[in-house]
Amino acid sequence: MKIFIFFLFTLFMTSNLKAQNFKYAFVTDTHVGSPTGEEDLRKTVVDINQLTDIDFTIITGDITEMGTNKELALAKEILLKLKKPFYIIPGNHDTGWSETGGVGFIKEFGNDKFVFDHNGFRFIACASGPYVRMSDGHIPRDATIWLDSVLKAMPKNMPIIFANHYPLTNSLDNWYEATDRLREYNIQYAICGHGHTDKSYNFEGIESTMGRSNLRAKDSIGGYNIVSMMNDSVFFQNKRPAQAVMAAWRKIKLKTFQDDNKKYPRSDYSINKKFAGIKQLWTYHSNANVVNTPAFSLDHVIFGNSLGLIEALNKKTGKKIWTFSTKGAIYSSPVISNNIVMLGSGDGTIYALNEKTGKLVWKKETANAVLGSPVIDGKNVYIGGSDNTFRALDIKTGKEIWSFKKVEGAIAGKPLIYRGKIFFGSWGGYLYALDISNGSLLWKWNNGQENRMFSPAMVTPVAYNDIVYIAAPDRFLTAIDAGTGHTLWRNNEATVRESIGISTDSTVIYGKTMQDEIVAYKTQSQNPGILWRYNAGFGYEHVPSMLIEKDGNVFFGTRNGVVYAIDPKKQSTTWAHKIDDSMINTVNVVDGKNLIVSTMDGKVVWLKAE
């Protein structure tokens, strides 16, 4: 009898171990839209389909090169040829230059996150941005809320495999949102892409693996990884289409996770003690990313989030007053005129709402997402979309006054109205100047870069004395004749990238460099060189937040959640205040002592300098 029971136990354990053994394909950084991306992915799909022992495929981001609808549709068409299930998340290339702000990815693939169980393991993955502009990777606010719900509903001892596009390092500004949560559960390992190379990591005690890009790069053929879950270990092996699987290059032991209880580096808020007179009068934390500048009226502060929700807060208390749901992510900074709030949505609609009630006044449907921010002039509102069109609409009715339909690429920035003209950039490589009265093209300007990533799209132009100034991702400050579109001068003495501003007397242009410094230039038709430069000590910097001068200070935000006020005459820091670890959008300066600040992690804050 004892022998029989032992036999049954052995049989059970053997069958249980066999049930746990499985393999999956780990594909990443396919970059469909790049020169060889489509061909390399097609070959990989054919290759995976010939492997009879693969249960599914995980694809960890940068599916496309620029996140266009065309590229996403092509990638989906190729991946649907996989005979086994596939699970997919976006990367920074799918969202950072996306003409829909990531809405297109969700439309094609159903979601930007996934969770599923296989042979006793739970696989969890989420998006990581950035969205519609340059920034650090960031696990979206809605994804951390979702991750909490997924983890809370599962057994503590269930083994987890976590996937993200970025490694769980400070390349994600909030990596700890994932590691802190996962270390409380039975995390086995994490996988990621982004680095285009096979690499072993350990993220705060969590064993992790970065996979090679599917692109061939300088080789003759691309490739991916086969991941073998074998009893008590997992093995990673390279596989190139039509070639044998290579020897395992990475092995991780599967075991119950034990947190090492070490204290890892976290946010440093010591700067707030240095400038103790800065107070957060109120803070509101939205349930999704806020990647726009809130507008304010006599009573309200209003903004949209990445789940498509428009929220109005009480200006004095920060309490939510009303909401309005759109069907796409919002990256458009609202404007308010005559009690009407206007902004665009990733669902392809321009909305006008009653500022007091949030009720719909009118809407204008377009053929693609509307990521651009509106500006108002008189009775009209002006806004650009991803349908290659820039529009003038009547504020009261939404009636189209005129439209310019020959924009190359998506519009994601904020226009400038100046002396009867309206200026805006696009991800198609051009800065445009239109006649504001009828929308006719006066000129378009190109910085000579063939790569669309250097387009003057997130620039917010400033102007004085018939000269328009911009700073594109090419790291030049450029002065352009407002009447002709001819380049007057270009200066790259400092690495000014997308972030500029103009003094209240219009005699000085301010620029934020990519390392520590604020620089100033005189507004003139000949290259003035740098007037002065001030080391503010904000570190490495790349987010396109504008510099706003008011009441003797210049205000701006940084990638690491710090708002600065500097004195341009003394070239000194008046104050600085850290809100969180994510990107600060262009701040809305109420006056020299009051600011409305929003962060990519969804915080909206009223700051007061006492």
mmCIF file of all heavy atoms in Angstrom, residues 60-63 89-96 105 127-130 165-166 194:
data_model
loop_
_atom_site.group_PDB
_atom_site.id
_atom_site.type_symbol
_atom_site.label_atom_id
_atom_site.label_comp_id
_atom_site.label_asym_id
_atom_site.label_seq_id
_atom_site.Cartn_x
_atom_site.Cartn_y
_atom_site.Cartn_z
ATOM 1 N N THR A 60 7.632 42.886 -26.640
ATOM 2 C CA THR A 60 7.768 43.915 -25.603
ATOM 3 C C THR A 60 8.117 45.304 -26.151
ATOM 4 O O THR A 60 9.044 45.957 -25.680
ATOM 5 C CB THR A 60 8.818 43.495 -24.558
ATOM 6 O OG1 THR A 60 10.081 43.310 -25.204
ATOM 7 C CG2 THR A 60 8.426 42.227 -23.847
ATOM 8 N N GLY A 61 7.359 45.783 -27.118
ATOM 9 C CA GLY A 61 7.419 47.185 -27.472
ATOM 10 C C GLY A 61 8.321 47.582 -28.617
ATOM 11 O O GLY A 61 9.115 46.797 -29.118
ATOM 12 N N ASP A 62 8.188 48.859 -28.999
ATOM 13 C CA ASP A 62 8.780 49.409 -30.211
ATOM 14 C C ASP A 62 8.422 48.517 -31.390
ATOM 15 O O ASP A 62 9.277 48.057 -32.150
ATOM 16 C CB ASP A 62 10.294 49.592 -30.066
ATOM 17 C CG ASP A 62 10.651 50.882 -29.332
ATOM 18 O OD1 ASP A 62 9.723 51.575 -28.875
ATOM 19 O OD2 ASP A 62 11.842 51.194 -29.196
ATOM 20 N N ILE A 63 7.128 48.300 -31.505
ATOM 21 C CA ILE A 63 6.599 47.494 -32.599
ATOM 22 C C ILE A 63 6.801 48.231 -33.921
ATOM 23 O O ILE A 63 7.067 47.633 -34.948
ATOM 24 C CB ILE A 63 5.088 47.227 -32.380
ATOM 25 C CG1 ILE A 63 4.805 46.804 -30.934
ATOM 26 C CG2 ILE A 63 4.561 46.211 -33.370
ATOM 27 C CD1 ILE A 63 5.624 45.637 -30.456
ATOM 28 N N ILE A 89 2.795 44.769 -25.985
ATOM 29 C CA ILE A 89 2.728 46.081 -25.339
ATOM 30 C C ILE A 89 3.493 47.082 -26.204
ATOM 31 O O ILE A 89 4.366 46.698 -26.978
ATOM 32 C CB ILE A 89 3.314 46.069 -23.911
ATOM 33 C CG1 ILE A 89 4.718 45.441 -23.901
ATOM 34 C CG2 ILE A 89 2.378 45.379 -22.935
ATOM 35 C CD1 ILE A 89 5.430 45.523 -22.559
ATOM 36 N N PRO A 90 3.193 48.375 -26.074
ATOM 37 C CA PRO A 90 3.902 49.381 -26.860
ATOM 38 C C PRO A 90 5.211 49.794 -26.224
ATOM 39 O O PRO A 90 5.438 49.596 -25.026
ATOM 40 C CB PRO A 90 2.920 50.560 -26.870
ATOM 41 C CG PRO A 90 2.193 50.439 -25.564
ATOM 42 C CD PRO A 90 2.071 48.961 -25.308
ATOM 43 N N GLY A 91 6.079 50.393 -27.035
ATOM 44 C CA GLY A 91 7.314 51.002 -26.553
ATOM 45 C C GLY A 91 7.314 52.486 -26.846
ATOM 46 O O GLY A 91 6.334 53.035 -27.352
ATOM 47 N N ASN A 92 8.425 53.133 -26.566
ATOM 48 C CA ASN A 92 8.471 54.580 -26.756
ATOM 49 C C ASN A 92 8.312 55.007 -28.206
ATOM 50 O O ASN A 92 7.754 56.070 -28.494
ATOM 51 C CB ASN A 92 9.780 55.157 -26.182
ATOM 52 C CG ASN A 92 11.017 54.520 -26.785
ATOM 53 O OD1 ASN A 92 11.237 53.320 -26.645
ATOM 54 N ND2 ASN A 92 11.846 55.307 -27.440
ATOM 55 N N HIS A 93 8.736 54.184 -29.158
ATOM 56 C CA HIS A 93 8.555 54.536 -30.566
ATOM 57 C C HIS A 93 7.090 54.445 -30.981
ATOM 58 O O HIS A 93 6.679 55.114 -31.932
ATOM 59 C CB HIS A 93 9.408 53.632 -31.458
ATOM 60 C CG HIS A 93 10.817 54.099 -31.602
ATOM 61 N ND1 HIS A 93 11.321 54.702 -32.728
ATOM 62 C CD2 HIS A 93 11.847 54.064 -30.719
ATOM 63 C CE1 HIS A 93 12.591 55.016 -32.550
ATOM 64 N NE2 HIS A 93 12.938 54.625 -31.340
ATOM 65 N N ASP A 94 6.315 53.644 -30.296
ATOM 66 C CA ASP A 94 4.893 53.505 -30.627
ATOM 67 C C ASP A 94 4.046 54.626 -30.047
ATOM 68 O O ASP A 94 2.927 54.865 -30.501
ATOM 69 C CB ASP A 94 4.364 52.161 -30.103
ATOM 70 C CG ASP A 94 5.188 50.987 -30.587
ATOM 71 O OD1 ASP A 94 5.388 50.883 -31.816
ATOM 72 O OD2 ASP A 94 5.648 50.188 -29.751
ATOM 73 N N THR A 95 4.570 55.315 -29.020
ATOM 74 C CA THR A 95 3.774 56.342 -28.340
ATOM 75 C C THR A 95 4.412 57.733 -28.384
ATOM 76 O O THR A 95 3.709 58.730 -28.391
ATOM 77 C CB THR A 95 3.548 55.965 -26.869
ATOM 78 O OG1 THR A 95 4.819 55.810 -26.209
ATOM 79 C CG2 THR A 95 2.763 54.668 -26.752
ATOM 80 N N GLY A 96 5.746 57.800 -28.416
ATOM 81 C CA GLY A 96 6.426 59.085 -28.318
ATOM 82 C C GLY A 96 6.206 59.992 -29.508
ATOM 83 O O GLY A 96 6.166 61.213 -29.376
ATOM 84 N N PHE A 105 -2.510 52.365 -31.133
ATOM 85 C CA PHE A 105 -2.005 51.072 -30.674
ATOM 86 C C PHE A 105 -3.125 50.285 -30.000
ATOM 87 O O PHE A 105 -3.324 49.091 -30.274
ATOM 88 C CB PHE A 105 -0.840 51.256 -29.712
ATOM 89 C CG PHE A 105 -0.195 49.969 -29.289
ATOM 90 C CD1 PHE A 105 0.905 49.485 -29.967
ATOM 91 C CD2 PHE A 105 -0.699 49.218 -28.230
ATOM 92 C CE1 PHE A 105 1.495 48.280 -29.607
ATOM 93 C CE2 PHE A 105 -0.127 48.018 -27.856
ATOM 94 C CZ PHE A 105 0.985 47.545 -28.544
ATOM 95 N N ALA A 127 2.281 49.311 -20.408
ATOM 96 C CA ALA A 127 2.963 50.293 -21.248
ATOM 97 C C ALA A 127 3.954 51.106 -20.426
ATOM 98 O O ALA A 127 3.986 51.025 -19.199
ATOM 99 C CB ALA A 127 1.926 51.212 -21.893
ATOM 100 N N SER A 128 4.761 51.914 -21.132
ATOM 101 C CA SER A 128 5.757 52.698 -20.408
ATOM 102 C C SER A 128 6.070 54.043 -21.041
ATOM 103 O O SER A 128 6.997 54.716 -20.607
ATOM 104 C CB SER A 128 7.053 51.890 -20.272
ATOM 105 O OG SER A 128 7.500 51.438 -21.533
ATOM 106 N N GLY A 129 5.303 54.446 -22.072
ATOM 107 C CA GLY A 129 5.490 55.782 -22.633
ATOM 108 C C GLY A 129 6.898 55.992 -23.189
ATOM 109 O O GLY A 129 7.607 55.038 -23.433
ATOM 110 N N PRO A 130 7.352 57.256 -23.340
ATOM 111 C CA PRO A 130 6.590 58.492 -23.125
ATOM 112 C C PRO A 130 5.571 58.727 -24.228
ATOM 113 O O PRO A 130 5.528 57.972 -25.208
ATOM 114 C CB PRO A 130 7.670 59.570 -23.143
ATOM 115 C CG PRO A 130 8.722 59.016 -24.045
ATOM 116 C CD PRO A 130 8.725 57.533 -23.801
ATOM 117 N N HIS A 165 8.557 47.448 -21.680
ATOM 118 C CA HIS A 165 9.485 47.788 -22.761
ATOM 119 C C HIS A 165 10.835 48.230 -22.208
ATOM 120 O O HIS A 165 11.883 47.787 -22.666
ATOM 121 C CB HIS A 165 8.908 48.882 -23.650
ATOM 122 C CG HIS A 165 9.872 49.317 -24.723
ATOM 123 N ND1 HIS A 165 10.315 48.463 -25.711
ATOM 124 C CD2 HIS A 165 10.504 50.501 -24.940
ATOM 125 C CE1 HIS A 165 11.168 49.097 -26.500
ATOM 126 N NE2 HIS A 165 11.308 50.336 -26.050
ATOM 127 N N TYR A 166 10.796 49.112 -21.227
ATOM 128 C CA TYR A 166 12.028 49.605 -20.611
ATOM 129 C C TYR A 166 12.514 48.628 -19.534
ATOM 130 O O TYR A 166 11.702 47.953 -18.897
ATOM 131 C CB TYR A 166 11.791 50.947 -19.924
ATOM 132 C CG TYR A 166 11.693 52.143 -20.830
ATOM 133 C CD1 TYR A 166 10.501 52.443 -21.489
ATOM 134 C CD2 TYR A 166 12.774 52.998 -21.015
ATOM 135 C CE1 TYR A 166 10.392 53.559 -22.300
ATOM 136 C CE2 TYR A 166 12.681 54.123 -21.819
ATOM 137 C CZ TYR A 166 11.487 54.389 -22.470
ATOM 138 O OH TYR A 166 11.378 55.498 -23.268
ATOM 139 N N HIS A 194 14.065 47.544 -25.558
ATOM 140 C CA HIS A 194 14.559 48.927 -25.572
ATOM 141 C C HIS A 194 16.050 49.044 -25.875
ATOM 142 O O HIS A 194 16.450 49.926 -26.621
ATOM 143 C CB HIS A 194 14.244 49.630 -24.242
ATOM 144 C CG HIS A 194 14.475 51.108 -24.271
ATOM 145 N ND1 HIS A 194 13.796 51.959 -25.120
ATOM 146 C CD2 HIS A 194 15.309 51.903 -23.546
ATOM 147 C CE1 HIS A 194 14.189 53.194 -24.918
ATOM 148 N NE2 HIS A 194 15.110 53.196 -23.982
#
